[in-house]
Amino acid sequence: MPTLQSHAPAQAATSEPFQNEPFLDFADAANRSEMETALQEVASRLGQEYDLVIGGRRIRTEDKIISVNPARPSQVVGVHQRANLEHVETAIQAAETAFQRWGQTSAQSRVDLLLRLVDLVRKHKFELCAWLTVEVGKNWAEADADVGETIDFLNFYAREALRLDRATTPIQFPGERNQLRYLPLGIGAVIPPWNFPLAIMAGMTAAAIVTGNTVILKPSIDAPTIAARFFALLEEAGMPDGVVNLCPGEGPDFGNAVVEHPKTRFVAFTGSKAVGLQIHERAARTQPGQIFLKRTILEMGGKDAIVVDSDADLDAAVEGVVASAFGFNGQKCSACSRAIVDASIYDIFCDRLAQRTAAIPVGDPAKNLPAGPVISQRSFDKVLDYLQIGKEEGKLLVGGKAVETPEGGYYIAPTIFADVLPESRLAQEEIFGPVLAVLRSDGFDDALRIANGTEYGLTGAVYSRSPEKLERARTEFHVGNLYLNRKCTGAMVGAHPFGGFNMSGTDSKAGGPDYLLLFTQAKSIADKVGVVSRATEEEEQRMGL
Ligand code: NAD
C-alpha cells in the first residue's frame, strides 16, 4: 500500500490563490500537434481490458462492459469488468477498512494527495482529452474544458478542505474553548453521469475523499475507460488502497444495492431526474442495522432557457443560444433547450439562428469537428423520437434528421423547431441532444412565466440591455445558475458554483464554498478552560483574567 508520507507536502501550492486552469488554444500549432499525437497514442491502446479494483485488489468478472466510440461504434475503446451484487459487500468492507485510517488522516495529507493528482492530470492532459474524444465524442475544446474543470475541482477542493480544517465557532463562550470540527461521514457511493465523465466523476470523488470519506465509485457504463484512467492516476498519486474502490457496473443492480446498503452513509449522484428520484427514495428507506440518516447529494437534469428580450444585442444572443444549445451536441445539463424570444424580434432572430445553425459542421470529434455524435444507440433513438414529436408540435427550421457516416456514428444534425408552445413535450422534457425549441413570448412578463414554467430550474440566461429587466431576472428567474448577457453553459469552478432548483436537484453548488460541507458532519466541542487545559494568553484577556 503506498504511504502518503512518501510524498513531499504541497502547502506552498495551496497558499497561492485559486485560479482556473487556462484553456488550451488549439489555433496554436504546437497544441494541435500534441493533441494529434495523443489521439494516435490512445488509438494504439484501444480495446485494452481494465480491472475492477476493490481495496487495491484487482478483480476480473465473467461478464464485461464493452465501451465503444460513438463516432464509430464498431471500435472498442475499453473492456471493463461488470461489478455485480456479489461485489457489493466486498467493496463496502474495503471502504470500511480504509476509512478507519483515512478518516483519521490529517487534512493536509489528504490535500497533498489531491495536489499530486493535479500534477498528474496536467501531465496527462492531452492523453485525457484524447480519451474523452474517443469514448464520449467530445471535440478538442470540449475535451479540454472537461480536463480543465477536473483540475479546477481538485485545486479548489484542496483549498476548501484546508479552510474547513481551520474553522472555528463564530463565538467563544466565556470560560470555554469552543471548537467546530468537520468530520467525514464514512462510506459513500459516488455515481457520476457519462457526459462530464472526468470532471464530475473526479469532482464528486475528490470532495468525498479530501474530507476523509471513503468511496465506492460506480462510473457510467458509457464512460468507464476515462474513470479507469483517472483511477490509475489516483493510485499513482499515492492513494491508499480502499479509499476509492473502482466498480463499473449497472445502475439498476449494482448501483441500487450500494445505495441501499446499511453502511452507505451518503450518495453523491449526478445524472437524470428519473434515476436521481429513485436514489432519493431508496436512500430514504432505513435498512435493518442502519444507524444514521443517509445523505443524498443529487444533481439532475434541466430544461434550460435563454430569454431573448426585444432590446437584446441580437448577434450576441444568436451566438449565445447556438453555443449553449449545440455545444457538445446539447448533451450538457446546462444546455439551452428553449429559446424564448420576444415577438417583436422573433422572425429576424429565427432567421439568423437557423442560418448560423445550418452552418455547423457535423462529423468526427477526433478531427475536431464542432458537432459530433450523441453518446449511444439508446440516446440516438431517443433523440430521433423527439425529432418526430417536434415535427408534430413545432415548425422545423433546420436539421431534423440523422447524419449518416461510413463509420455508422450516432450523428444527428443540429435541429431547431420554432413556434413551440410552452406546455408541449418539446418544451417540457429533457431531450439531451442537439434539439432546440424556440418559443414566442409576448413581453418580458410572459418570457419569465414561460422560462419558469417547467419542473426544472438548473441554468438560464437573459439577453437584454434593460437594467430593470435584468434586475427582475435576478429575483424572478428561478434557476440555480443565472447568466446575464452570456451563454448558459460553461460554469467555471469558483466563479459559478453549480447546482439547480426544483427537479434539477439538491442545489449542491459544486465548485462553491458550501460544497464540501455536504460530505461532512460538524462536531461542536466545548472545553471548560482551567480544568485540564489552561487558558491561553488571548483567552485570559478575553475572559478578563
Ligand atoms: P443517468 O441518470 O442515466 O445515469 C447517471 C448514473 O447513474 C450512471 O452512472 C448510471 O449508471 C447510474 N444509475 C442508473 N440507474 C441507477 C440506479 N437505479 N441506481 C444507482 N445508479 C444508477 O444519467 P446519464 O445519462 O449518465 O447523464 C445524463 C443526465 O445527467 C442528464 O439528465 C443531465 O441533465 C444530467 N446531468 C446533470 C448535471 C448537473 O449538475 N445537474 C450534470 C451533468 C449531467
Side-chain angles (χ1 to χ4, degrees):
M1 178 163 108
T3 57
L4 287 167
Q5 288 71 22
S6 62
H7 299 270
Q11 268 127 325
T14 43
S15 62
E16 291 158 18
F18 170 80
Q19 278 190 339
N20 294 112
E21 182 75 359
F23 293 120
L24 289 171
D25 175 7
F26 288 110
D28 181 330
N31 286 337
R32 278 205 309 277
S33 156
E34 278 209 63
M35 185 64 190
E36 272 152 11
T37 308
L39 283 162
Q40 281 165 15
E41 202 255 325
V42 158
S44 72
R45 290 158 65 188
L46 292 178
Q48 282 181 3
E49 188 157 351
Y50 299 84
D51 295 323
L52 202 82
V53 191
I54 297 180
R57 202 159 60 86
R58 274 139 165 98
I59 299 169
R60 296 244 159 150
T61 60
E62 220 164 275
D63 210 4
K64 311 286 180 195
I65 293 168
I66 310 290
S67 167
V68 301
N69 181 345
R72 45 191 81 226
S74 60
Q75 186 175 68
V76 174
V77 174
V79 177
H80 297 265
Q81 315 311 311
R82 195 182 285 268
N84 57 40
L85 297 183
E86 75 183 87
H87 301 108
V88 175
E89 202 53 51
T90 328
I92 293 278
Q93 272 172 24
E96 193 175 28
T97 305
F99 180 66
Q100 284 160 14
R101 282 182 65 186
W102 186 248
Q104 305 293 325
T105 309
S106 71
Q108 185 64 55
S109 304
R110 302 192 298 243
V111 163
D112 290 345
L113 173 71
L114 258 54
L115 296 177
R116 289 193 297 275
L117 192 54
V118 167
D119 290 343
L120 288 170
V121 172
R122 277 208 184 107
K123 184 172 149 201
H124 293 273
K125 191 182 247 192
F126 286 96
E127 181 219 320
L128 291 166
C129 284
W131 283 115
L132 286 157
T133 298
V134 297
E135 192 163 53
V136 299
K138 295 208 169 192
N139 66 32
W140 301 3
E142 294 287 353
D144 174 48
D146 200 326
V147 180
E149 191 176 16
T150 305
I151 293 171
D152 286 351
F153 278 138
L154 297 172
N155 265 326
F156 188 78
Y157 295 149
R159 286 165 174 74
E160 286 297 298
L162 292 178
R163 185 174 66 82
L164 266 196
D165 194 48
R166 291 191 296 264
T168 55
T169 54
I171 300 288
Q172 291 293 314
F173 193 74
E176 294 182 357
R177 183 172 303 139
N178 301 122
Q179 269 186 308
L180 201 54
R181 281 199 193 165
Y182 288 92
L183 306 180
L185 298 170
I187 301 165
V190 171
I191 306 181
W194 64 266
N195 73 325
F196 278 86
L198 188 60
I200 294 182
M201 183 256 317
M204 293 196 293
T205 305
I209 65 174
V210 80
T211 41
N213 303 286
T214 55
V215 159
I216 294 166
L217 169 61
K218 194 219 75 59
S220 161
I221 54 165
D222 288 320
T225 313
I226 291 154
R229 283 301 300 133
F230 172 75
F231 185 82
L233 297 182
L234 253 178
E235 287 189 313
E236 193 179 334
M239 176 193 72
D241 292 343
V243 169
V244 177
N245 299 280
L246 179 67
C247 299
E250 291 284 352
D253 49 33
F254 182 80
N256 275 347
V258 173
V259 168
E260 284 178 345
H261 196 282
K263 287 189 176 162
T264 300
R265 293 207 175 221
F266 67 94
V267 183
F269 164 84
T270 307
S272 62
K273 180 194 107 184
V275 174
L277 291 183
Q278 279 180 39
I279 291 177
H280 185 53
E281 206 174 313
R282 278 177 204 280
R285 232 176 281 139
T286 317
Q287 302 295 330
Q290 184 180 327
I291 57 161
F292 45 80
L293 297 177
K294 293 187 190 195
R295 183 102 45 100
T296 50
I297 301 151
L298 306 170
E299 290 312 311
M300 314 185 326
K303 191 69 198 172
D304 311 309
I306 294 185
V307 170
V308 185
D309 184 31
S310 52
D311 66 359
D313 173 338
L314 284 197
D315 290 336
V318 167
E319 280 313 307
V321 169
V322 167
S324 308
F326 302 117
F328 193 35
N329 318 310
Q331 300 174 114
K332 298 181 186 180
C333 56
S334 55
C336 168
S337 55
R338 296 179 297 152
I340 302 168
V341 184
D342 192 83
S344 62
I345 51 157
Y346 186 83
D347 291 337
I348 182 164
F349 186 82
C350 285
D351 283 351
R352 287 205 207 170
L353 190 67
Q355 248 177 43
R356 174 71 182 76
T357 303
I360 299 174
V362 178
D364 195 348
K367 297 194 179 122
N368 203 20
L369 272 90
V374 296
I375 184 67
S376 62
Q377 182 74 51
R378 196 163 52 100
S379 169
F380 182 75
D381 293 342
K382 178 181 160 192
V383 178
L384 287 185
D385 284 349
Y386 274 106
L387 295 186
Q388 234 7 76
I389 295 168
K391 285 170 191 167
E392 287 153 26
E393 290 186 339
K395 180 173 128 200
L396 180 66
L397 285 189
V398 59
K401 56 181 189 312
V403 177
E404 288 183 20
T405 59
E407 300 83 20
Y410 306 125
Y411 294 98
I412 291 179
T415 297
I416 302 176
F417 291 103
D419 303 349
V420 174
L421 295 176
E423 57 282 359
S424 64
R425 288 185 66 189
L426 213 64
Q428 290 290 328
E429 297 173 11
E430 187 183 47
I431 301 172
F432 221 58
V435 183
L436 173 72
V438 185
L439 295 86
R440 190 190 302 261
S441 58
D442 188 11
F444 199 65
D445 280 341
D446 194 35
L448 283 180
R449 183 187 60 78
I450 297 170
N452 288 334
T454 75
E455 62 179 338
Y456 293 107
L458 189 44
T459 75
V462 177
Y463 281 88
S464 171
R465 290 192 174 96
S466 152
E468 293 77 26
K469 287 175 183 165
L470 295 181
E471 190 48 39
R472 283 193 57 196
R474 285 187 180 94
T475 48
E476 294 175 43
F477 197 163
H478 196 60
V479 289
N481 285 72
L482 177 66
Y483 301 98
L484 304 177
N485 288 311
R486 55 148 284 179
K487 63 180 180 153
C488 66
T489 52
M492 299 300 291
V493 169
H496 313 132
F498 196 80
F501 296 166
N502 294 346
M503 283 297 174
S504 291
T506 50
D507 190 34
S508 65
K509 291 292 182 270
D514 306 323
Y515 191 65
L516 290 194
L517 293 174
L518 303 170
F519 296 82
T520 65
Q521 48 198 341
K523 184 169 185 172
S524 159
I525 303 167
D527 180 3
K528 191 157 179 65
V529 173
V531 180
V532 173
S533 58
R534 294 168 66 102
T536 61
E537 233 171 79
E538 189 206 330
E539 282 167 340
E540 281 182 358
Q541 271 182 10
R542 190 160 16 90
M543 291 185 261
L545 299 175

